[in-house]
Amino acid sequence: MTTPPPPRALALLSPVLLAAAGVVLAATPEQGRHDPSPRDDGQLAALGRELFHDRGLSRDGTQSCATCHDPEFAFTDPRETTAGRAVSLGDDGVSHGDRNTPTLSYAAFSPDFHQTATGAFKGGQFWDGRADNLRDQAGQPMLNPAEMAMPDRETVVSRLRASPEYRAAFAGLFGEDALEDVDRAFDHAASALAAYQQTEEFAPFDSRFDRYLRGEATLTPQEQFGHTVFITWNCRLCHQVRQPSFVAQETFTSYEFHNIGVPVNHEVRRVNGLGAGHVDQGLLSRPGIDDPAQAGRIKVPTLRNVAVTGPYMHNGVFSDLRTAVLFYNKYTSRRPQSQINPETGEPWGGPEVAENLSLTELQSGLMLDDARVDALVAFLETLTDRRYEPLLAEQKRAREEAAAGR
């Protein structure tokens, strides 16, 4: 085991760091409040920001939360591994996950995991909703052997106790005995991480689409047409908070769980050693869920920053956003070419879990031709936060160069 690096020089309660932490968000009434942190203020978020970037909270000191949720890449993992970017590499330099690292952008707006009046499950964190809220989610990667790989809470808290800066910061926020009890100390750290994820840094609502709605920007005719396609192709059935119209601060997800028939990512299974026989049961794998009707259901992700957070689907099986759109078209198109994955030249492959497909939603739209597919992709690109628009421009240049080289 390597010696973990010490925490960076802290000025946790300084005006500079408080400014960097941003303003804590308040969710709209439609979306609800999420994390019951003891103090949702700038000081708590500033501590959370420091913890988020601290590699010393992984077993071998090689990664922090920000390693797999890089703020410069819309809080996703930009690292290339033997599985491409489909899944992340763990702290041990060997382990690979089985699911794509989701963006933390706008994650604070997910309601607590719950069952609706109709019996459907909704909200929570992770692809299978296994964390009730951000506070529940925040500590889990530290203890996951395929991620930050800390053996237990005691080890995490011992790292915090070893830092005079952390001792002072936790004492200032939670009391002089803040780090004495292991479970309470670990929960304090999770609360701080959750508070940081509720800041404006994660959810600025400043994409070109947001600016367009405020009259500060324009959309091209193709992008406007793409917005129409989004509505008429019924994308909004799963990627809109409330029907039939947008709410304030729309996050482009219903927070529901659906099985859309995503095929297995065989390369990931080869790399992580789970093998062809493993089945990702989605929501059914959440502790306490034993209803077979939940097998294969995955939480609907936000479409904000979707154009710069590939690869796509919960297992990263598709590299390109256009491919992900075409995958949905296989349910509504009778054209033979619509049954072919353009990235492989082969049929899409059967669903990993064949039961419980959300066919009502998947088959409700009309067939898309190429112009409509391109328009929808163009609209989805307008959902990119201003901070990440250079990534979008870089992607476009790379595509143009690749096309010119053919």
Side-chain angles (χ1 to χ4, degrees):
M1 180 183 300
T2 60
T3 302
R8 293 173 298 145
L10 295 179
L12 286 175
L13 308 184
S14 72
V16 174
L17 192 50
L18 291 178
V23 178
V24 177
L25 296 171
T28 65
E30 293 88 349
Q31 293 161 313
R33 188 65 177 167
H34 329 292
D35 179 64
S37 297
R39 289 183 61 184
D40 277 341
D41 56 21
Q43 294 178 344
L44 188 64
L47 173 59
R49 186 177 190 272
E50 195 67 33
L51 294 169
F52 190 85
H53 290 271
D54 189 351
R55 291 183 291 114
L57 298 181
S58 63
R59 187 189 65 184
D60 292 342
T62 69
Q63 62 182 227
S64 65
C65 301
T67 302
C68 297
H69 296 286
D70 191 329
E72 298 303 315
F73 292 87
F75 297 98
T76 58
D77 193 343
R79 299 174 299 165
E80 290 284 342
T81 74
T82 51
R85 291 177 59 184
V87 294
S88 294
L89 183 68
D91 174 70
D92 61 5
V94 177
S95 299
H96 290 76
D98 195 53
R99 293 173 179 162
N100 179 251
T101 300
T103 179
L104 292 181
S105 296
Y106 302 89
F109 285 84
S110 179
D112 282 9
F113 184 83
H114 66 284
Q115 193 167 15
T116 68
T118 63
F121 291 97
K122 190 171 183 178
Q125 301 290 336
F126 296 115
W127 290 111
D128 56 8
R130 66 185 182 275
D132 286 346
N133 49 46
L134 279 178
R135 186 181 180 188
D136 187 22
Q137 175 273 333
Q140 292 193 31
M142 288 186 281
L143 304 179
N144 189 319
E147 297 184 50
M148 297 171 76
M150 293 292 259
D152 49 43
R153 289 185 169 202
E154 173 68 44
T155 306
V156 174
V157 174
S158 68
R159 298 278 178 93
L160 299 175
R161 292 169 178 163
S163 163
E165 293 89 353
Y166 279 145
R167 290 200 303 271
F170 275 82
L173 285 165
F174 302 103
E176 291 298 325
D177 62 346
L179 295 178
E180 290 184 7
D181 180 84
V182 168
D183 287 336
R184 284 195 297 112
F186 190 87
D187 289 344
H188 292 332
S191 295
L193 285 165
Y196 173 49
Q197 292 179 65
Q198 293 180 66
T199 63
E200 188 177 7
E201 181 178 351
F202 289 79
F205 290 100
D206 64 354
S207 71
R208 194 150 57 85
F209 184 68
D210 293 300
R211 304 196 305 268
Y212 164 75
L213 293 178
R214 295 194 293 263
E216 301 168 0
T218 59
L219 299 185
T220 68
Q222 184 188 45
E223 292 163 348
Q224 292 177 344
F225 181 42
H227 185 204
T228 300
V229 173
F230 178 88
I231 296 171
T232 59
W233 200 35
N234 285 333
C235 303
R236 60 181 176 172
L237 292 180
C238 296
H239 286 286
Q240 195 166 309
V241 171
R242 179 174 288 182
Q243 307 296 325
S245 59
F246 291 131
V247 299
Q249 297 187 322
E250 175 63 56
T251 51
F252 294 94
T253 169
S254 64
Y255 303 107
E256 296 172 347
F257 293 80
H258 289 279
N259 181 1
I260 63 172
V262 175
V264 174
N265 189 328
H266 293 288
E267 180 61 17
V268 165
R269 292 286 163 78
R270 183 190 67 79
V271 169
N272 65 22
L274 290 177
H278 178 77
V279 177
D280 186 340
Q281 296 287 352
L283 181 57
L284 186 60
S285 63
R286 177 191 156 100
I289 302 291
D290 56 8
D291 178 7
Q294 308 310 321
R297 296 184 184 272
I298 298 292
K299 186 184 175 189
V300 177
T302 179
L303 293 180
R304 285 189 173 270
N305 293 319
V306 67
V308 295
T309 52
Y312 299 97
M313 306 306 177
H314 67 279
N315 57 4
V317 70
F318 304 137
S319 297
D320 190 75
L321 178 58
R322 194 175 194 277
T323 303
V325 171
L326 289 172
F327 173 77
Y328 288 97
N329 201 32
K330 80 168 191 170
Y331 289 103
T332 55
S333 174
R334 296 180 180 178
R335 296 182 301 176
Q337 61 265 39
S338 296
Q339 305 307 312
I340 302 298
N341 180 345
E343 294 181 3
T344 65
E346 302 290 335
W348 291 102
E352 181 169 8
V353 177
E355 299 77 29
N356 311 317
L357 293 178
S358 295
L359 293 178
T360 299
E361 292 82 2
L362 291 167
Q363 295 177 343
S364 65
L366 300 175
M367 178 188 76
L368 294 190
D369 57 22
D370 286 343
R372 285 174 170 79
V373 171
D374 291 339
L376 180 55
V377 171
F379 167 68
L380 294 176
E381 289 176 344
T382 71
L383 305 182
T384 306
D385 291 346
R386 186 194 296 267
R387 175 182 183 180
Y388 303 119
E389 287 174 350
L391 295 179
L392 195 61
E394 184 179 324
Q395 288 181 357
K396 289 184 177 181
R397 284 194 299 271
R399 287 197 297 269
E400 291 170 358
E401 292 173 0
R406 291 196 186 105

